[in-house]
């Protein structure tokens, strides 16, 4: 319904049903997400998103479909098969039917204009052991080495060994940089406290 107007706009646009499944989209949308119409139409829009942002975006869509708001704008990270993830701004607009209920949702995706070197993991790479994940969560929560050792039944040296391993894996030199890098790579879920490593990255 919107295709003639938007096909040459350079904007990535899609129409979703009330259950947030893709009904149709324009050429720029398919190109940006690296998928064909057959692969995307009928699928949940959430399947196109990186795990680190799904929960927050789901909350925004829930507000739309429940009639609590008519529009939202949210930063998103999307995954593409065989290609680096990309970041951008997602705008969702509720379209109401004659009965006043949300009939569909129009989404616009504006990719970041100047993408930096991709750092976000797409979830295919299991980067951390279960213990690495617990240590990383503790460091991000501000837990001391002594406290971590007691919580995880390790010696202080054992904790420091795991921290050193994490510093090497993420190619950083200290704990604050470790936490920042983990967030930038999408290893932690966004908007949760205490920080939790997403299961996608644990072996």
């Amino acid at each position: 319904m919107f295709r003639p107007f938007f096909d040459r706009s350079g904007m990535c646009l899609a129409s979703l049903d009330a259950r947030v499944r893709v009904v149709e989209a324009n050429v720029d949308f398919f190109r940006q997400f690296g998928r064909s119409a057959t692969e995307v139409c009928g699928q949940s829009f959430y399947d196109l998103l990186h795990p680190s942002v799904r929960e927050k975006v789901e909350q925004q869509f829930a507000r739309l479909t429940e009639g609590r708001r008519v529009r939202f704008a949210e930063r998103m990270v999307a995954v593409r098969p065989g290609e680096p993830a990309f970041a951008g701004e997602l705008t969702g607009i509720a379209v109401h039917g004659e009965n006043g209920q949300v009939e569909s949702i129009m989404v616009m995706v504006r990719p970041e204009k100047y993408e930096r070197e991709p750092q976000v993991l797409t979830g295919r790479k299991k980067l951390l052991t279960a213990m690495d994940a617990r240590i990383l969560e503790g460091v991000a929560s501000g837990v001391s080495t002594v406290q971590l050792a007691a919580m995880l039944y390790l010696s202080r040296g054992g904790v420091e060994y795991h921290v050193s391993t994490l510093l090497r894996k993420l190619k950083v030199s200290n704990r604050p940089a470790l936490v920042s890098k983990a967030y930038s790579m999408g290893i932690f879920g966004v908007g949760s406290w205490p920080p939790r490593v997403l299961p996608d990255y644990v072996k």
Side-chain angles (χ1 to χ4, degrees):
M1 56 185 164
F2 51 77
R3 192 169 288 137
F5 182 75
F6 285 101
D7 259 355
R8 289 184 291 276
S9 68
M11 185 182 299
C12 304
L13 190 79
S15 176
L16 315 180
D17 64 18
R19 294 175 64 185
V20 198
R21 294 175 302 195
V22 180
V23 176
E24 64 175 331
N26 68 354
V27 173
D28 289 308
F29 185 93
F30 296 127
R31 185 182 299 119
Q32 183 65 40
F33 283 85
R35 292 171 168 87
S36 66
T38 307
E39 292 173 302
V40 172
C41 292
Q43 299 300 311
S44 170
F45 182 76
Y46 303 133
D47 292 341
L48 304 175
L49 302 176
H50 188 268
S52 65
V53 300
R54 275 182 205 152
E55 185 177 353
K56 205 165 185 184
V57 172
E58 283 178 13
Q59 290 169 358
Q60 294 282 22
F61 276 118
R63 293 186 183 107
L64 284 190
T65 56
E66 292 165 9
R68 288 186 280 158
R69 61 189 308 178
V70 295
R71 181 182 183 279
F72 74 82
E74 183 70 62
R75 189 174 185 277
M76 55 156 273
V77 179
V79 292
R80 297 178 284 201
E83 295 182 50
F86 74 90
E89 183 181 71
L90 169 67
T91 302
I93 302 169
V95 179
H96 294 84
E98 293 179 4
N99 61 1
Q101 299 296 311
V102 175
E103 194 172 74
S104 62
I105 301 167
M106 187 170 73
V107 295
M108 292 173 282
V109 175
R110 184 184 302 165
E112 285 183 356
K113 213 164 190 178
Y114 303 104
E115 291 190 47
R116 294 163 292 192
E117 181 182 349
Q119 303 247 349
V120 177
L121 300 174
T122 60
R124 290 186 291 272
K125 186 175 181 182
K126 301 291 187 180
L127 187 68
L128 308 173
T129 65
M131 184 59 74
D132 285 339
R134 297 289 303 277
I135 297 283
L136 186 56
E137 290 169 351
V139 171
S141 301
V143 179
S144 70
T145 297
V146 173
Q147 290 171 315
L148 270 175
M151 288 165 52
L152 301 176
Y153 304 103
L154 295 171
S155 65
R156 289 185 59 177
V159 171
E160 293 296 346
Y161 169 79
H162 283 285
V163 171
S164 298
T165 301
L166 286 165
L167 293 174
R168 284 196 303 275
K169 280 184 180 179
L170 272 62
K171 299 177 182 175
V172 291
S173 58
N174 55 50
R175 291 186 182 208
L178 178 66
V179 175
S180 297
K181 186 76 174 285
Y183 270 110
S184 73
M185 293 172 73
I187 292 173
F188 288 126
V190 175
S192 64
W193 185 263
R196 286 288 172 261
V197 170
L198 294 169
D200 305 59
Y201 306 116
V202 181
K203 296 175 184 174

